[in-house]
């Protein structure tokens, strides 16, 4: 049992370190590490019997002062901890399905010219069983006439036979959509076009404003599986927070988040992708979690609220990215460091399995050092690593 515990803990640490220093996030090395962590973690949980012995007196005695969300001090808490860990396995499964089955590419439209082909990420040509025609493209400006508010493509979907998408060299097709009807559609930032299992996103445009570049993404299985995992994770955290945290703390955290969301909603942004209600919700949850993580150095109970808010903020961000950038997770530096922060701070929640966190001095020292991850995520990424989230720079 101790060997299994050491292997699981070692894999967890290796993944955190690899996320910080290794760039090949989609490499088989990283995929293998995630798969091994999921495997050994599941076996360790089952071997410990923590899934079935919620009311075991030994478990209750050992976790009465420092309960973890997995074991808890009662049946309900143990079940919520199990659901929380199950959600992580579902998310990893969805990510693997996306990695193996997703088809993504770009399609360049010129005004008045029907296009029935797109290039995938390997620059292979795939044919659609319908055509897309750009009727017009428009940059919508704010009232001052200088700051872009949105980029809008007016599209006509034209039926062109009932053949499947196919690449002569790649073999096989992507999908078949029968009886595609002609329709007029609008694609803009945060407003995607869905045709069958394919989704189209506004990506770029030509300088003469007579052309638009769209991202096409087909991921019919990975996205639903991952979203189910995210929803289960958020619900599990909510239940754990409500049962483990003082109501006044929860209310105070919600009030802080609402104030931050209100402040961010007052500002207009130069980047059209930021002009959405998702921005204040996403940022308010993340910022509130960072404040709670700092305060949790002295009040351990706040850790559940902090990580719960961070998890919800990541979920909202993933949903927003999916409708803006065409993918719910792109391994952007800000995303990676938010994940690192969550994983680093999740360790103290497992005080029953990691006795070192029962020592108040070790816990406080660890929490202070861990806050460097927050600083890196919030400030360091913007100025050191860049990426799609570097608006603050």
């Amino acid at each position: 049992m101790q060997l299994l515990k050491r292997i699981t803990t070692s894999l967890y640490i290796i993944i955190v370190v690899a996320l910080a220093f290794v760039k090949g996030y989609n490499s088989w090395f990283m995929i293998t590490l995630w798969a091994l962590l999921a495997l050994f973690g599941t076996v360790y949980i089952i071997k410990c019997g923590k899934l079935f012995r919620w009311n075991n007196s030994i478990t209750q005695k050992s976790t009465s002062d420092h309960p973890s969300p997995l074991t808890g001090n009662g049946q309900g808490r143990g079940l919520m901890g199990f659901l929380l860990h199950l959600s992580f396995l579902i998310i990893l499964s969805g990510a693997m399905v996306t990695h193996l089955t997703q088809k993504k590419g770009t399609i360049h439209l010129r005004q008045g010219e029907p296009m029935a082909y797109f290039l995938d990420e390997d620059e292979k040509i795939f044919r659609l069983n319908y055509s897309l025609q750009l009727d017009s493209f428009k940059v919508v400006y704010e009232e001052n006439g200088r700051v872009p508010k949105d980029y809008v493509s007016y599209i006509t979907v034209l039926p062109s036979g009932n053949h499947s998408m196919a690449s002569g060299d790649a073999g096989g097709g992507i999908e078949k959509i029968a009886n595609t009807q002609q329709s007029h559609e609008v694609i803009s930032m945060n407003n995607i076009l869905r045709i069958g299992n394919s989704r189209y996103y506004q990506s770029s445009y030509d300088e003469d404003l007579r052309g638009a570049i769209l991202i096409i993404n087909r991921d019919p299985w990975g996205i639903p599986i991952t979203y189910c995992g995210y929803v289960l994770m958020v619900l599990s955290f909510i239940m754990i927070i409500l049962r483990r945290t003082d109501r006044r703390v929860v209310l105070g955290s919600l009030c802080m988040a609402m104030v931050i969301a209100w402040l961010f909603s007052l500002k207009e942004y130069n980047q059209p992708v930021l002009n959405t209600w998702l921005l204040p919700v996403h940022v308010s949850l993340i910022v509130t979690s960072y404040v709670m993580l700092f305060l949790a150095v002295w009040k351990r109970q706040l850790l559940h609220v902090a990580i719960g808010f961070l998890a919800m903020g990541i979920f909202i961000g993933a949903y927003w990215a999916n409708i803006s950038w065409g993918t719910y997770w792109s391994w952007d530096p800000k995303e990676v460091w938010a994940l690192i922060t969550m994983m680093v701070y999740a360790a103290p929640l497992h005080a029953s399995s990691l006795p070192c966190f029962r020592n108040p001095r070790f816990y406080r020292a660890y929490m202070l050092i861990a806050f460097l991850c927050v600083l890196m995520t919030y400030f360091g990424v913007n100025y050191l690593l860049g990426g799609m989230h570097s608006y603050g720079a």
Side-chain angles (χ1 to χ4, degrees):
M1 183 64 69
Q2 288 298 317
L3 177 61
L4 187 59
K5 175 182 174 181
R6 291 193 187 99
I7 293 176
T8 304
T9 305
S10 299
L11 284 170
Y12 193 91
I13 295 173
I14 291 173
I15 288 177
V16 172
V17 174
L19 287 173
F21 297 103
V22 176
K23 299 301 181 182
Y25 303 117
N26 289 320
S27 66
W28 283 106
F29 169 72
M30 290 298 299
I31 293 174
T32 301
L33 286 179
W34 283 111
L36 290 174
L37 177 63
L39 174 63
F40 282 99
T42 302
V43 173
Y44 176 67
I45 292 171
I46 295 176
K47 286 288 187 180
C48 289
K50 292 175 180 178
L51 302 185
F52 310 105
R53 293 189 288 112
W54 316 116
N55 294 311
N56 186 286
S57 59
I58 298 177
T59 303
Q60 291 183 3
K61 180 178 179 180
S62 64
T63 61
S64 59
D65 295 327
H66 304 281
S68 79
L70 176 61
T71 58
N73 283 341
Q75 182 175 5
R77 293 174 183 172
L79 176 61
M80 288 182 289
F82 164 64
L83 293 177
L84 178 61
H85 287 75
L86 176 62
S87 72
F88 297 141
L89 293 177
I90 296 175
I91 291 171
L92 289 176
S93 300
M96 176 59 75
V97 172
T98 294
H99 178 73
L100 295 176
T101 66
Q102 175 184 246
K103 178 61 67 175
K104 190 175 182 180
T106 59
I107 179 170
H108 186 192
L109 302 179
R110 290 291 295 176
Q111 188 170 323
E113 301 176 7
M115 176 60 66
Y117 300 88
F118 75 91
L119 291 176
D120 71 358
E121 294 176 308
D122 296 324
E123 296 189 350
K124 293 181 180 178
I125 299 176
F126 283 80
R127 184 176 181 180
L128 304 165
N129 76 317
Y130 50 87
S131 298
L132 298 179
Q133 177 179 291
L134 178 67
D135 298 325
S136 63
F137 176 83
K138 182 170 64 175
V139 179
V140 180
Y141 290 91
E142 298 287 355
E143 294 181 359
N144 58 24
R146 296 189 302 271
V147 179
K149 182 180 181 180
D150 206 349
Y151 303 110
V152 186
S153 295
Y154 297 91
I155 305 291
T156 297
V157 181
L158 301 169
S160 57
N162 292 329
H163 50 274
S164 64
M165 298 180 189
S167 171
D169 295 330
I174 298 180
E175 64 179 342
K176 183 176 181 179
I177 305 174
N179 301 320
T180 303
Q181 301 296 320
Q182 179 172 329
S183 62
H184 299 281
E185 308 290 347
V186 177
I187 304 175
S188 60
M189 303 304 297
N190 301 316
N191 180 44
I192 65 177
L193 169 63
R194 292 181 175 86
I195 303 178
N197 289 322
S198 298
R199 297 170 300 144
Y200 294 87
Y201 308 78
Q202 183 67 51
S203 176
S204 184
Y205 61 94
D206 295 344
E207 292 183 0
D208 61 1
L209 300 183
R210 296 180 59 84
I213 299 176
L214 308 178
I215 295 175
I216 177 174
N217 183 23
R218 182 182 183 273
D219 186 15
W221 303 110
I223 291 175
I225 294 173
T226 305
Y227 275 15
C228 286
Y230 273 126
V231 171
L232 182 59
M233 177 185 68
V234 170
L235 292 177
S236 301
F237 266 121
I238 290 175
M239 291 187 292
I240 290 173
I241 289 172
L242 293 178
R243 296 198 60 169
R244 292 292 310 276
T245 308
D246 188 286
R247 296 294 189 272
R248 293 170 296 181
V249 174
V250 177
L251 182 60
S253 301
L254 289 174
C255 290
M256 181 188 301
M258 287 189 291
V259 170
I260 296 173
W262 175 71
L263 292 174
F264 273 87
S265 67
L266 297 178
K267 184 178 179 181
E268 293 184 352
Y269 299 90
N270 295 336
Q271 295 86 358
V273 70
L274 300 180
N275 293 311
T276 171
W277 64 271
L278 291 168
L279 172 66
V281 176
H282 170 62
V283 173
S284 63
L285 289 170
I286 296 291
V287 173
T288 301
S289 73
Y290 291 164
V291 174
M292 293 295 106
L293 286 174
F294 181 72
L295 297 177
V297 175
W298 299 275
K299 192 172 180 62
R300 188 189 293 256
Q301 190 186 46
L302 296 177
L303 191 55
H304 297 90
V305 179
I307 297 183
F309 273 51
L310 180 57
M312 288 184 276
I314 291 175
F315 169 56
I316 295 296
Y319 172 76
W320 183 11
N322 198 36
I323 65 174
S324 299
W325 298 332
T327 178
Y328 59 85
W329 194 267
S330 58
W331 295 109
D332 186 67
K334 184 79 77 172
E335 296 173 347
V336 172
W337 276 94
L339 177 60
I340 291 174
T341 299
M342 184 174 173
M343 294 183 68
V344 167
Y345 277 102
L349 291 178
H350 299 77
S352 60
S353 301
L354 302 172
C356 56
F357 288 108
R358 301 177 194 173
N359 184 316
R361 290 185 177 179
F362 178 86
Y363 169 81
R364 290 192 179 116
Y366 179 91
M367 293 292 287
L368 286 172
I369 296 174
F371 199 73
L372 294 175
C373 294
V374 173
L375 297 178
M376 181 63 186
T377 305
Y378 196 75
F379 296 107
V381 168
N382 289 351
Y383 298 99
L384 299 178
L385 301 180
M388 294 185 292
H389 284 82
S390 299
Y391 304 113

